[in-house]
Amino acid sequence: MSELRYGWTTGACATAATKAAHTALLTGEFPDPVEITLPKGQRPAFALAVEELGDGRATAGIVKDAGDDPDVTHGALVRSTVRPGPPGGGVTFRAGPGVGTVTRPGLPLDVGEPAINPVPRRMMREVLGDADVIVEISVDGGEELARRTWNPRLGIVGGLSILGTTGVVVPYSCSAWIDSIRRGVDVARAMGRTHVAGATGSTSEKVVAELHGLPEDALLDMGDFAGAVLKYVRRHPVPRLTIAGGIGKLAKLAAGHLDLHSKRSQVDFGVLAAMIGDPETAERVRGCNTALHALQVCQEAGIPLGDLVAERARATALDVLRGAPVEVDVVVIDRGGTIVGRA
């Protein structure tokens, strides 16, 4: 199998488009392709998909190539429009159509600012030098694409964020998801939330939101990254954390796994069997194929496997938190969304 192809972040695309537009504004000609230097020294060149010059402004557009990563913004057209700004004003960033605006505290940008992250801003300032210009970044269809990202939950309205700390998209990298978890904790803390919940999926998230009456900005789309939630909350404590998920995912956490993805950890039926006091039922559990099957076997025997898993999962969480001032509870559900265990 050939190696997966790397791609470029929206921040890299916006920087290249900004360099091309600014060059055209100064010289009347668009450089195509346009080359930029990324934070780690790579020098990619980007072909222009849009060139528009007139009325004291220039617009360049680049189609984002995310490589082999299943990125929602792959194929999106990122545009930069550059126009002269007030003398001595430096670079001013604006959100064009499809780029969001920050409406809640807790992000690395002030409320009211366009959702263009600090590293892409720095990259664009570097290609602009000491120019006094207004830079408007837009993404075609960005408002619709943003509904498939964390932005609505983080209080970024109107479109996508312009992201990237290296300029490079690593295929199937976990970094973007984990970064979103961290920003979710930051926003919850800034909003004064004292109780947040990390859920492995949409069903468990709905259950825990109803159970505890939690607002959307207190919900963390944890997915398989239980360790990422626990380690970040350890460093940035919230008074109470609920972990919610299906019996299979939380059986892995109960066994000490912090990455709950099926490719990186498996349900250990020996661990489940060791939780059960009844030897006959324990032996049956040892031979089960799925955690749900083990739950059914225990339910028939009157053994609260869900509660036992919740207790062990909570113990794992407390170990990772290392005494941080965080109360932890765990909610285990079955496939239908019924709560089958708590601790």
Side-chain angles (χ1 to χ4, degrees):
M1 180 179 167
S2 60
E3 277 192 25
L4 293 173
R5 193 169 57 88
Y6 282 33
W8 311 113
T9 63
T10 47
C13 295
T15 299
T18 296
K19 181 178 179 180
H22 185 233
T23 302
L25 193 64
L26 295 176
T27 68
E29 296 290 334
F30 288 89
D32 187 12
V34 57
E35 185 179 275
I36 61 170
T37 302
L38 299 179
K40 292 188 176 179
Q42 305 101 315
R43 297 182 61 83
F46 296 81
L48 299 185
V50 171
E51 299 178 10
E52 296 170 4
L53 181 62
D55 299 326
R57 64 178 177 82
T59 300
I62 289 170
V63 175
K64 175 177 170 176
D65 179 2
D68 289 323
D69 194 68
D71 189 312
V72 297
T73 58
H74 177 68
L77 180 59
V78 180
R79 301 175 190 255
S80 176
T81 298
V82 180
R83 54 175 62 88
V91 180
T92 302
F93 294 101
R94 290 186 181 165
V99 171
T101 299
V102 176
T103 66
R104 291 180 192 155
L107 296 171
L109 300 165
D110 292 335
V111 171
E113 281 288 310
I116 302 169
N117 270 23
V119 172
R121 288 182 187 229
R122 188 173 75 233
M123 290 166 62
M124 283 184 261
R125 286 195 172 100
E126 285 171 0
V127 299
L128 292 166
D130 57 1
D132 298 320
V133 291
I134 296 165
V135 178
E136 181 181 289
I137 306 297
S138 59
V139 180
D140 289 20
E143 190 164 5
E144 180 62 33
L145 289 172
R147 296 193 184 108
R148 293 155 58 191
T149 73
W150 270 55
N151 277 14
R153 182 166 294 177
L154 295 175
I156 297 170
V157 300
L160 294 162
S161 299
I162 303 301
L163 301 172
T165 53
T166 64
V168 178
V169 175
V170 179
Y172 294 89
S173 164
C174 305
S175 60
W177 194 317
I178 290 171
D179 188 61
S180 294
I181 289 171
R182 292 169 177 168
R183 298 296 79 78
V185 174
D186 292 344
V187 167
R189 282 164 50 92
M191 295 295 288
R193 302 300 176 200
T194 58
H195 185 181
V196 298
T200 59
S202 57
T203 302
S204 54
E205 180 179 272
K206 185 180 178 196
V207 168
V208 80
E210 291 176 357
L211 178 67
H212 292 304
L214 294 174
E216 187 178 58
D217 58 30
L219 302 173
L220 309 172
D221 189 4
M222 180 176 76
D224 293 315
F225 302 110
V229 170
L230 291 164
K231 290 170 188 175
Y232 198 71
V233 169
R234 182 176 72 211
R235 298 194 302 273
H236 306 273
V238 179
R240 186 173 177 192
L241 169 67
T242 299
I243 294 173
I247 182 79
K249 297 283 189 187
L250 293 191
K252 296 179 187 181
L253 184 62
H257 297 292
L258 301 181
D259 185 334
L260 311 181
H261 194 280
S262 59
K263 288 183 179 176
R264 296 183 286 272
S265 61
Q266 301 295 324
V267 174
D268 188 328
F269 293 97
V271 170
L272 289 181
M275 298 180 194
I276 298 163
D278 174 45
E280 185 180 334
T281 306
E283 195 55 39
R284 288 184 65 198
V285 164
R286 207 181 294 278
C288 287
N289 292 320
T290 66
L292 203 59
H293 184 207
L295 178 66
Q296 291 164 346
V297 166
C298 288
Q299 284 173 333
E300 289 168 9
I303 295 168
L305 182 63
D307 289 335
L308 298 172
V309 166
E311 286 169 16
R312 285 286 291 270
R314 182 174 180 272
T316 298
L318 292 173
D319 282 346
V320 176
L321 288 167
R322 295 182 193 164
V326 182
E327 289 184 15
V328 180
D329 69 293
V330 175
V331 178
V332 182
I333 65 166
D334 64 14
R335 198 163 284 164
T338 300
I339 295 174
V340 293
R342 292 181 70 179

